[in-house]
PDB file of all heavy atoms in Angstrom:
ATOM      1  N   ALA A 271      68.991 -85.033  55.300  1.00 90.00           N
ATOM      2  CA  ALA A 271      69.957 -84.410  54.392  1.00 90.00           C
ATOM      3  C   ALA A 271      71.362 -84.953  54.596  1.00 90.00           C
ATOM      4  O   ALA A 271      72.192 -84.904  53.677  1.00 90.00           O
ATOM      5  CB  ALA A 271      69.950 -82.888  54.584  1.00 90.00           C
ATOM      6  N   ALA A 272      71.663 -85.483  55.777  1.00 92.00           N
ATOM      7  CA  ALA A 272      72.998 -86.020  56.034  1.00 92.00           C
ATOM      8  C   ALA A 272      73.300 -87.246  55.186  1.00 92.00           C
ATOM      9  O   ALA A 272      74.468 -87.602  55.009  1.00 92.00           O
ATOM     10  CB  ALA A 272      73.145 -86.357  57.516  1.00 92.00           C
ATOM     11  N   TRP A 273      72.257 -87.892  54.663  1.00 93.00           N
ATOM     12  CA  TRP A 273      72.501 -89.087  53.860  1.00 93.00           C
ATOM     13  C   TRP A 273      73.204 -88.772  52.547  1.00 93.00           C
ATOM     14  O   TRP A 273      73.907 -89.623  51.997  1.00 93.00           O
ATOM     15  CB  TRP A 273      71.180 -89.788  53.561  1.00 93.00           C
ATOM     16  CG  TRP A 273      70.412 -90.216  54.771  1.00 93.00           C
ATOM     17  CD1 TRP A 273      70.871 -90.265  56.059  1.00 93.00           C
ATOM     18  CD2 TRP A 273      69.059 -90.663  54.817  1.00 93.00           C
ATOM     19  NE1 TRP A 273      69.890 -90.701  56.906  1.00 93.00           N
ATOM     20  CE2 TRP A 273      68.749 -90.954  56.172  1.00 93.00           C
ATOM     21  CE3 TRP A 273      68.069 -90.843  53.873  1.00 93.00           C
ATOM     22  CZ2 TRP A 273      67.513 -91.414  56.572  1.00 93.00           C
ATOM     23  CZ3 TRP A 273      66.818 -91.305  54.269  1.00 93.00           C
ATOM     24  CH2 TRP A 273      66.552 -91.586  55.603  1.00 93.00           C
ATOM     25  N   PHE A 274      73.010 -87.565  52.021  1.00 92.00           N
ATOM     26  CA  PHE A 274      73.583 -87.239  50.714  1.00 92.00           C
ATOM     27  C   PHE A 274      75.100 -87.396  50.727  1.00 92.00           C
ATOM     28  O   PHE A 274      75.689 -87.850  49.741  1.00 92.00           O
ATOM     29  CB  PHE A 274      73.197 -85.813  50.311  1.00 92.00           C
ATOM     30  CG  PHE A 274      71.780 -85.671  49.856  1.00 92.00           C
ATOM     31  CD1 PHE A 274      70.769 -85.429  50.775  1.00 92.00           C
ATOM     32  CD2 PHE A 274      71.450 -85.798  48.526  1.00 92.00           C
ATOM     33  CE1 PHE A 274      69.452 -85.308  50.371  1.00 92.00           C
ATOM     34  CE2 PHE A 274      70.136 -85.671  48.106  1.00 92.00           C
ATOM     35  CZ  PHE A 274      69.128 -85.421  49.025  1.00 92.00           C
ATOM     36  N   GLY A 275      75.739 -87.009  51.822  1.00 90.00           N
ATOM     37  CA  GLY A 275      77.186 -87.098  51.876  1.00 90.00           C
ATOM     38  C   GLY A 275      77.707 -88.505  52.073  1.00 90.00           C
ATOM     39  O   GLY A 275      78.928 -88.714  52.032  1.00 90.00           O
ATOM     40  N   GLN A 276      76.814 -89.489  52.274  1.00 93.00           N
ATOM     41  CA  GLN A 276      77.246 -90.860  52.520  1.00 93.00           C
ATOM     42  C   GLN A 276      77.118 -91.751  51.292  1.00 93.00           C
ATOM     43  O   GLN A 276      77.466 -92.936  51.365  1.00 93.00           O
ATOM     44  CB  GLN A 276      76.429 -91.451  53.668  1.00 93.00           C
ATOM     45  CG  GLN A 276      76.518 -90.659  54.959  1.00 93.00           C
ATOM     46  CD  GLN A 276      75.597 -91.217  56.033  1.00 93.00           C
ATOM     47  OE1 GLN A 276      75.285 -92.398  56.073  1.00 93.00           O
ATOM     48  NE2 GLN A 276      75.149 -90.346  56.936  1.00 93.00           N
ATOM     49  N   VAL A 277      76.612 -91.211  50.183  1.00 94.00           N
ATOM     50  CA  VAL A 277      76.436 -91.997  48.964  1.00 94.00           C
ATOM     51  C   VAL A 277      77.572 -91.683  48.007  1.00 94.00           C
ATOM     52  O   VAL A 277      77.852 -90.516  47.719  1.00 94.00           O
ATOM     53  CB  VAL A 277      75.075 -91.707  48.298  1.00 94.00           C
ATOM     54  CG1 VAL A 277      74.925 -92.520  47.021  1.00 94.00           C
ATOM     55  CG2 VAL A 277      73.945 -92.027  49.261  1.00 94.00           C
ATOM     56  N   ARG A 278      78.216 -92.714  47.488  1.00 92.00           N
ATOM     57  CA  ARG A 278      79.326 -92.552  46.562  1.00 92.00           C
ATOM     58  C   ARG A 278      79.063 -93.406  45.330  1.00 92.00           C
ATOM     59  O   ARG A 278      78.875 -94.616  45.430  1.00 92.00           O
ATOM     60  CB  ARG A 278      80.642 -92.994  47.209  1.00 92.00           C
ATOM     61  CG  ARG A 278      81.022 -92.213  48.467  1.00 92.00           C
ATOM     62  CD  ARG A 278      81.592 -90.851  48.120  1.00 92.00           C
ATOM     63  NE  ARG A 278      82.118 -90.179  49.309  1.00 92.00           N
ATOM     64  CZ  ARG A 278      81.406 -89.436  50.124  1.00 92.00           C
ATOM     65  NH1 ARG A 278      80.103 -89.273  49.893  1.00 92.00           N
ATOM     66  NH2 ARG A 278      81.952 -88.851  51.181  1.00 92.00           N
ATOM     67  N   ASP A 279      79.044 -92.783  44.153  1.00 93.00           N
ATOM     68  CA  ASP A 279      78.935 -93.536  42.903  1.00 93.00           C
ATOM     69  C   ASP A 279      79.607 -92.787  41.754  1.00 93.00           C
ATOM     70  O   ASP A 279      79.208 -92.897  40.596  1.00 93.00           O
ATOM     71  CB  ASP A 279      77.471 -93.832  42.556  1.00 93.00           C
ATOM     72  CG  ASP A 279      76.631 -92.571  42.359  1.00 93.00           C
ATOM     73  OD1 ASP A 279      77.165 -91.456  42.547  1.00 93.00           O
ATOM     74  OD2 ASP A 279      75.442 -92.699  42.029  1.00 93.00           O
ATOM     75  N   GLY A 280      80.648 -92.021  42.069  1.00 88.00           N
ATOM     76  CA  GLY A 280      81.315 -91.223  41.047  1.00 88.00           C
ATOM     77  C   GLY A 280      82.358 -91.972  40.258  1.00 88.00           C
ATOM     78  O   GLY A 280      82.699 -91.581  39.133  1.00 88.00           O
ATOM     79  N   THR A 281      82.904 -93.073  40.804  1.00 90.00           N
ATOM     80  CA  THR A 281      83.939 -93.846  40.119  1.00 90.00           C
ATOM     81  C   THR A 281      83.497 -95.296  40.003  1.00 90.00           C
ATOM     82  O   THR A 281      82.605 -95.744  40.735  1.00 90.00           O
ATOM     83  CB  THR A 281      85.266 -93.773  40.898  1.00 90.00           C
ATOM     84  OG1 THR A 281      85.100 -94.439  42.166  1.00 90.00           O
ATOM     85  CG2 THR A 281      85.669 -92.319  41.142  1.00 90.00           C
ATOM     86  N   PRO A 282      84.123 -96.076  39.108  1.00 88.00           N
ATOM     87  CA  PRO A 282      83.764 -97.502  39.009  1.00 88.00           C
ATOM     88  C   PRO A 282      83.937 -98.242  40.331  1.00 88.00           C
ATOM     89  O   PRO A 282      83.131 -99.110  40.670  1.00 88.00           O
ATOM     90  CB  PRO A 282      84.722 -98.024  37.938  1.00 88.00           C
ATOM     91  CG  PRO A 282      85.013 -96.832  37.084  1.00 88.00           C
ATOM     92  CD  PRO A 282      85.042 -95.667  38.026  1.00 88.00           C
ATOM     93  N   ALA A 283      84.973 -97.906  41.103  1.00 90.00           N
ATOM     94  CA  ALA A 283      85.168 -98.582  42.391  1.00 90.00           C
ATOM     95  C   ALA A 283      84.040 -98.248  43.358  1.00 90.00           C
ATOM     96  O   ALA A 283      83.550 -99.122  44.088  1.00 90.00           O
ATOM     97  CB  ALA A 283      86.522 -98.181  42.982  1.00 90.00           C
ATOM     98  N   GLU A 284      83.601 -96.986  43.385  1.00 91.00           N
ATOM     99  CA  GLU A 284      82.511 -96.602  44.278  1.00 91.00           C
ATOM    100  C   GLU A 284      81.191 -97.228  43.853  1.00 91.00           C
ATOM    101  O   GLU A 284      80.333 -97.516  44.706  1.00 91.00           O
ATOM    102  CB  GLU A 284      82.379 -95.080  44.305  1.00 91.00           C
ATOM    103  CG  GLU A 284      83.557 -94.383  44.978  1.00 91.00           C
ATOM    104  CD  GLU A 284      83.473 -92.872  44.882  1.00 91.00           C
ATOM    105  OE1 GLU A 284      82.648 -92.372  44.077  1.00 91.00           O
ATOM    106  OE2 GLU A 284      84.240 -92.184  45.590  1.00 91.00           O
ATOM    107  N   MET A 285      81.032 -97.474  42.562  1.00 92.00           N
ATOM    108  CA  MET A 285      79.778 -98.069  42.089  1.00 92.00           C
ATOM    109  C   MET A 285      79.674 -99.550  42.413  1.00 92.00           C
ATOM    110  O   MET A 285      78.599-100.142  42.290  1.00 92.00           O
ATOM    111  CB  MET A 285      79.634 -97.844  40.577  1.00 92.00           C
ATOM    112  CG  MET A 285      79.207 -96.445  40.204  1.00 92.00           C
ATOM    113  SD  MET A 285      78.772 -96.270  38.462  1.00 92.00           S
ATOM    114  CE  MET A 285      80.397 -96.150  37.716  1.00 92.00           C
ATOM    115  N   THR A 286      80.773-100.189  42.812  1.00 91.00           N
ATOM    116  CA  THR A 286      80.692-101.590  43.210  1.00 91.00           C
ATOM    117  C   THR A 286      80.266-101.764  44.661  1.00 91.00           C
ATOM    118  O   THR A 286      79.987-102.883  45.092  1.00 91.00           O
ATOM    119  CB  THR A 286      82.051-102.280  42.995  1.00 91.00           C
ATOM    120  OG1 THR A 286      83.046-101.604  43.775  1.00 91.00           O
ATOM    121  CG2 THR A 286      82.454-102.236  41.528  1.00 91.00           C
ATOM    122  N   VAL A 287      80.211-100.669  45.430  1.00 92.00           N
ATOM    123  CA  VAL A 287      79.751-100.733  46.825  1.00 92.00           C
ATOM    124  C   VAL A 287      78.233-100.599  46.830  1.00 92.00           C
ATOM    125  O   VAL A 287      77.687 -99.595  46.376  1.00 92.00           O
ATOM    126  CB  VAL A 287      80.395 -99.612  47.668  1.00 92.00           C
ATOM    127  CG1 VAL A 287      79.895 -99.685  49.104  1.00 92.00           C
ATOM    128  CG2 VAL A 287      81.914 -99.730  47.618  1.00 92.00           C
ATOM    129  N   ARG A 288      77.549-101.602  47.352  1.00 90.00           N
ATOM    130  CA  ARG A 288      76.086-101.636  47.248  1.00 90.00           C
ATOM    131  C   ARG A 288      75.376-101.609  48.595  1.00 90.00           C
ATOM    132  O   ARG A 288      74.135-101.659  48.633  1.00 90.00           O
ATOM    133  CB  ARG A 288      75.662-102.903  46.492  1.00 90.00           C
ATOM    134  CG  ARG A 288      76.282-102.998  45.109  1.00 90.00           C
ATOM    135  CD  ARG A 288      76.162-104.378  44.540  1.00 90.00           C
ATOM    136  NE  ARG A 288      76.939-104.524  43.320  1.00 90.00           N
ATOM    137  CZ  ARG A 288      77.217-105.688  42.738  1.00 90.00           C
ATOM    138  NH1 ARG A 288      76.767-106.800  43.286  1.00 90.00           N
ATOM    139  NH2 ARG A 288      77.948-105.729  41.634  1.00 90.00           N
ATOM    140  N   ASP A 289      76.119-101.562  49.693  1.00 91.00           N
ATOM    141  CA  ASP A 289      75.462-101.623  51.007  1.00 91.00           C
ATOM    142  C   ASP A 289      75.877-100.461  51.895  1.00 91.00           C
ATOM    143  O   ASP A 289      76.190-100.647  53.075  1.00 91.00           O
ATOM    144  CB  ASP A 289      75.749-102.954  51.694  1.00 91.00           C
ATOM    145  CG  ASP A 289      77.242-103.178  51.930  1.00 91.00           C
ATOM    146  OD1 ASP A 289      78.057-102.410  51.378  1.00 91.00           O
ATOM    147  OD2 ASP A 289      77.596-104.111  52.679  1.00 91.00           O
ATOM    148  N   GLU A 290      75.863 -99.271  51.351  1.00 94.00           N
ATOM    149  CA  GLU A 290      76.145 -98.095  52.161  1.00 94.00           C
ATOM    150  C   GLU A 290      74.999 -97.858  53.154  1.00 94.00           C
ATOM    151  O   GLU A 290      73.872 -98.308  52.943  1.00 94.00           O
ATOM    152  CB  GLU A 290      76.343 -96.874  51.265  1.00 94.00           C
ATOM    153  CG  GLU A 290      77.556 -96.993  50.350  1.00 94.00           C
ATOM    154  CD  GLU A 290      77.552 -95.959  49.240  1.00 94.00           C
ATOM    155  OE1 GLU A 290      76.482 -95.754  48.635  1.00 94.00           O
ATOM    156  OE2 GLU A 290      78.607 -95.378  48.966  1.00 94.00           O
ATOM    157  N   ASP A 291      75.291 -97.121  54.203  1.00 94.00           N
ATOM    158  CA  ASP A 291      74.296 -96.898  55.257  1.00 94.00           C
ATOM    159  C   ASP A 291      72.984 -96.298  54.743  1.00 94.00           C
ATOM    160  O   ASP A 291      71.905 -96.682  55.219  1.00 94.00           O
ATOM    161  CB  ASP A 291      74.888 -95.998  56.345  1.00 94.00           C
ATOM    162  CG  ASP A 291      75.895 -96.742  57.215  1.00 94.00           C
ATOM    163  OD1 ASP A 291      75.952 -97.982  57.116  1.00 94.00           O
ATOM    164  OD2 ASP A 291      76.620 -96.079  57.989  1.00 94.00           O
ATOM    165  N   PRO A 292      72.998 -95.343  53.785  1.00 95.00           N
ATOM    166  CA  PRO A 292      71.709 -94.800  53.314  1.00 95.00           C
ATOM    167  C   PRO A 292      70.766 -95.848  52.745  1.00 95.00           C
ATOM    168  O   PRO A 292      69.547 -95.664  52.798  1.00 95.00           O
ATOM    169  CB  PRO A 292      72.140 -93.790  52.250  1.00 95.00           C
ATOM    170  CG  PRO A 292      73.483 -93.333  52.691  1.00 95.00           C
ATOM    171  CD  PRO A 292      74.134 -94.558  53.260  1.00 95.00           C
ATOM    172  N   LEU A 293      71.305 -96.941  52.201  1.00 96.00           N
ATOM    173  CA  LEU A 293      70.421 -98.008  51.727  1.00 96.00           C
ATOM    174  C   LEU A 293      69.564 -98.526  52.877  1.00 96.00           C
ATOM    175  O   LEU A 293      68.341 -98.697  52.744  1.00 96.00           O
ATOM    176  CB  LEU A 293      71.246 -99.144  51.123  1.00 96.00           C
ATOM    177  CG  LEU A 293      70.481-100.450  50.856  1.00 96.00           C
ATOM    178  CD1 LEU A 293      69.401-100.236  49.795  1.00 96.00           C
ATOM    179  CD2 LEU A 293      71.432-101.557  50.438  1.00 96.00           C
TER     180      LEU A 293
END
Side-chain angles (χ1 to χ4, degrees):
W273 301 347
F274 285 87
Q276 303 175 28
V277 179
R278 300 283 188 273
D279 61 357
T281 66
E284 292 175 346
M285 283 190 281
T286 59
V287 179
R288 303 165 189 167
D289 60 349
E290 296 166 316
D291 286 348
L293 168 64

